[in-house]
Amino acid sequence: MTEQIVILDFGSQYTQVIARRIRELSVYSTILPFNTPADEIAAMKPSGILLSGGPSSVYAKKAPLPDPGIFDLNVPIMGICYGLQTLGKLLGGEVEPCSKREFGKSQLQVVDKDSLLFKKLPKNLQVWNSHGDQITKLPPGFKAIAKTENSGFAAIENREKGWFGLQFHPEVAHTPRGKEVLTNFVHKVCGCSNSWSMRKYVDQAVEEIQEQVGNEKVILGLSGGVDSSVAAALLHKAIGDQLTCIFVNNGLLRAREAEAVKDLFGSHFKIKLVYSNASRDFLSKLKGVTDPEKKRKIIGNTFIEVFEKATKRAGKARFLAQGTLYPDVIESVPIAGNPAAMIKSHHNVGGLPKRMKFELVEPLKCLFKDEVRELGLELGLPKEIVYRQPFPGPGLAVRILGDVTSKRLEILRNSDAILIEEMKSNDWYYKIWQSFAVLLPVRSVGVMGDERTYDYTIAIRAVESQDGMTADWVKLPYDLLEKISNRIINEVKGVNRVCLDISSKPPATIEWE
Ligand code: XMP
């Protein structure tokens, strides 16, 4: 049985982040619903159990609570935030609403330096909180091991049982030393070894895919981006020729992109590939459309039509595979009352119409981008694909503000190719999250030789990011910017001005539309 930590999910947006942190510690973890029966958990022989945070309040009528049988399993348990409050409630303590909701950074002071949880950590730590309830009376057998200004019970422990509770979130980046707290729990308290690796992930994922798919056929929409490429390689390893990839050329791709995809997956990997060139169809439907959301809708709908036809060519399949990553899943969940969380129609999770009766296979759903890259390398994909920068589904259409025409596409494609070439040859391309050109439909006056020009502007967008959810613009060296600008203006007909986008996300987005 694989050595593992079980994470019970109480609905926190950070549950997957906890799982990811545990993977970073070279330990396997499984996320289970909060109410998984204790005997099922026992059968998995976990080395420890983590109770995630969650949006509920433990004293609400329908508060999600774990099977109390988990407390008889004789394994270490640690509750985080809401998880701590469930410990408080179920083990005989008291939980009440805070007089003031605690949200954001605070200073944690360790009051029991003998606790294994804070081994090798300083007495004062910055931590991140997000809670409206707190423990006001400790359950029997527990004592406080750390406090904050607002709470005497910011971390608690029942040493005899190996039970812990944290009011703060150790899994988020805003708790800078949180990973060490988790290491202490996983390695020191639960006694896990560093036995898990991406190699093992491949074996597990292959097994899971085989189990889910059986002898059935699977179709995958291949875009040539990192996610669908890694999904294709993983699925191909698991089920070989039961997989057919469909590659749609929507006419909005970058220079030489279609050829590169056909070469790698068709010729090199020998994956069954259906190539559908629908460029004309897409462009005629986009004619005259300037509204970004409308563009996305048209592209999305046309993609579905073209894809549906291609699936018929590919032959009947029961499953559809998608390279959905964890951040796609969370960005697609609208958070009530938060306008910033409004979904863009682009993260096309589950986007196909019901008449296309497929069951989904999403082998990357729990992974973050950098983990997917690591997985890609493990599967033998080339660096150019694995470290390829993300490219949006609607392609260059969201980088041409206003009307998308063949002429504008050509200008943008040529400008982008120069930018990418320079980024690569100057060693910047693989260092950053994304770098690309955007075509602004504003025309301005310029002079070239003796002639007056009246041409478009290209904006350079280069950003650093961990996961695409926040981003900062990259301070590229002036001489590189100068070279890119000179080359674009000299080599691309139709451009006479290049400017640099110096906005971060938020409040801007990475793409321009
Ligand atoms: P934004 O523009 O929302 O982009 O800051 C965040 C990340 O997502 C990529 N992106 C897309 N990916 N389909 C995709 O598959 C899309 O429609 C899409 N729009 C944006 C973007 O390139 C960035 O990495």
Side-chain angles (χ1 to χ4, degrees):
M1 181 84 52
T2 317
E3 183 184 69
Q4 65 181 317
I5 297 286
V6 160
I7 302 169
L8 294 184
D9 181 15
F10 291 89
S12 163
Q13 56 172 321
Y14 299 119
T15 305
Q16 290 289 351
V17 184
I18 301 174
R20 186 226 156 100
R21 295 282 173 254
I22 307 291
R23 289 197 289 276
E24 284 174 352
L25 303 172
S26 306
V27 174
Y28 183 62
S29 66
T30 306
I31 296 176
L32 296 176
F34 67 89
N35 53 0
T36 306
D39 51 357
E40 271 180 41
I41 299 174
M44 298 169 74
K45 298 206 175 9
S47 305
I49 300 174
L50 277 168
L51 313 180
S52 82
S56 319
S57 174
V58 280
Y59 50 79
K61 259 201 192 127
K62 289 196 174 146
L65 291 171
D67 179 344
I70 61 170
F71 299 112
D72 300 325
L73 297 182
N74 212 10
V75 293
I77 297 176
M78 184 159 85
I80 294 173
C81 198
Y82 178 83
L84 156 78
Q85 288 142 22
T86 61
L87 294 183
K89 172 157 175 168
L90 291 176
L91 298 173
E94 269 166 31
V95 179
E96 285 174 24
C98 305
S99 56
K100 195 169 91 218
R101 201 184 142 75
E102 198 176 9
F103 181 82
K105 287 178 192 167
S106 66
Q107 281 299 319
L108 184 85
Q109 193 189 340
V110 177
V111 292
D112 182 349
K113 65 177 177 29
D114 292 332
S115 173
L116 282 180
L117 212 55
F118 296 109
K119 266 270 163 314
K120 294 204 177 139
L121 281 161
K123 192 164 181 221
N124 290 298
L125 294 168
Q126 182 188 310
V127 297
W128 193 81
N129 301 283
S130 170
H131 61 103
D133 295 343
Q134 64 181 352
I135 291 216
T136 46
K137 186 173 149 249
L138 285 177
F142 278 82
K143 63 176 181 169
I145 51 174
K147 61 179 185 181
T148 59
E149 196 185 332
N150 289 332
S151 165
F153 307 129
I156 62 171
E157 174 180 358
N158 180 329
R159 194 155 300 172
E160 194 198 324
K161 301 275 192 187
W163 294 337
F164 296 84
L166 302 177
Q167 186 64 87
F168 60 93
H169 288 270
E171 70 277 20
V172 303
H174 300 307
T175 301
R177 307 206 54 175
K179 199 165 150 185
E180 290 158 81
V181 177
L182 288 171
T183 308
N184 284 342
F185 178 70
V186 166
H187 290 125
K188 295 214 159 62
V189 177
C190 301
C192 291
S193 55
N194 296 306
S195 60
W196 188 83
S197 64
M198 210 29 110
R199 170 79 254 140
K200 292 209 173 143
Y201 184 86
V202 172
D203 297 341
Q204 276 160 2
V206 161
E207 224 171 87
E208 275 170 30
I209 293 166
Q210 288 168 342
E211 200 168 299
Q212 185 187 1
V213 168
N215 293 322
E216 302 286 339
K217 295 221 172 339
V218 179
I219 275 176
L220 169 79
L222 186 63
S223 70
V226 183
D227 311 344
S228 64
S229 299
V230 174
L234 181 60
L235 283 152
H236 190 243
K237 188 175 172 78
I239 56 168
D241 270 356
Q242 284 166 255
L243 171 73
T244 304
C245 291
I246 293 177
F247 179 61
V248 174
N249 184 345
N250 58 8
L252 306 164
L253 303 175
R254 289 160 292 186
R256 266 203 46 79
E257 202 160 1
E259 293 76 15
V261 168
K262 283 195 283 180
D263 284 352
L264 181 72
F265 292 97
S267 311
H268 178 74
F269 271 94
K270 308 233 177 315
I271 294 181
K272 277 200 218 159
L273 187 67
V274 172
Y275 174 66
S276 174
N277 186 352
S279 309
R280 275 219 217 124
D281 198 7
F282 277 88
L283 291 195
S284 73
K285 290 197 172 127
L286 282 171
K287 198 164 181 215
V289 181
T290 54
D291 178 75
E293 282 299 305
K294 271 199 195 127
K295 276 189 199 172
R296 282 177 184 278
K297 287 252 148 60
I298 290 171
I299 296 166
N301 292 340
T302 312
F303 179 84
I304 289 165
E305 284 167 26
V306 174
F307 191 79
E308 194 171 10
K309 278 190 208 141
T311 57
K312 293 196 175 126
R313 272 164 59 200
K316 212 169 159 41
R318 175 162 159 198
F319 291 96
L320 176 80
Q322 289 186 334
T324 322
L325 306 195
Y326 179 61
D328 300 338
V329 180
I330 37 178
E331 270 211 7
S332 298
V333 180
I335 299 166
N338 178 2
M342 208 183 73
I343 348 156
K344 267 190 187 176
S345 53
H346 65 246
H347 289 298
N348 6 352
V349 179
L352 288 181
K354 287 219 170 65
R355 66 169 181 276
M356 293 179 72
K357 287 202 185 76
F358 286 116
E359 289 169 45
L360 284 185
V361 185
E362 296 181 295
L364 313 179
K365 203 167 69 179
C366 302
L367 299 183
F368 290 76
K369 196 86 185 185
D370 52 334
E371 294 181 302
V372 170
R373 293 192 211 275
E374 204 188 319
L375 175 60
L377 289 180
E378 191 62 52
L379 291 163
L381 283 171
K383 178 183 162 200
E384 292 71 40
I385 291 278
V386 168
Y387 287 101
R388 182 167 221 198
Q389 295 177 353
F391 185 63
L396 299 181
V398 294
R399 296 177 181 173
I400 294 177
L401 278 72
D403 198 4
V404 180
T405 63
S406 324
K407 186 169 168 237
R408 289 181 177 183
L409 275 166
E410 193 188 332
I411 293 175
L412 180 58
R413 209 170 263 139
N414 292 339
S415 306
D416 191 66
I418 292 173
L419 187 147
I420 297 307
E421 191 184 314
E422 290 299 333
M423 292 295 289
K424 282 189 175 161
S425 61
N426 287 278
D427 268 348
W428 276 93
Y429 181 88
Y430 293 113
K431 281 192 198 140
I432 67 172
W433 177 261
Q434 257 175 318
S435 48
F436 54 87
V438 179
L439 186 141
L440 313 187
V442 276
R443 293 179 139 191
S444 68
V445 173
V447 54
M448 221 174 202
D450 292 334
E451 259 177 63
R452 179 181 176 280
T453 56
Y454 189 52
D455 281 335
Y456 290 128
T457 300
I458 288 289
I460 296 173
R461 181 75 164 139
V463 292
E464 313 253 21
S465 174
Q466 287 302 314
D467 51 17
M469 289 160 81
T470 61
D472 205 357
W473 63 280
V474 179
K475 284 79 187 169
L476 293 174
Y478 279 161
D479 48 357
L480 174 59
L481 290 169
E482 182 180 32
K483 182 140 189 231
I484 294 171
S485 163
N486 282 346
R487 280 197 59 195
I488 292 176
I489 292 170
N490 288 324
E491 294 173 36
V492 184
K493 202 164 170 323
V495 179
N496 66 355
R497 209 172 280 273
V498 170
C499 57
L500 178 67
D501 181 352
I502 53 170
S503 340
S504 59
K505 172 185 182 175
T509 47
I510 296 175
E511 303 290 345
W512 275 47
E513 282 195 341

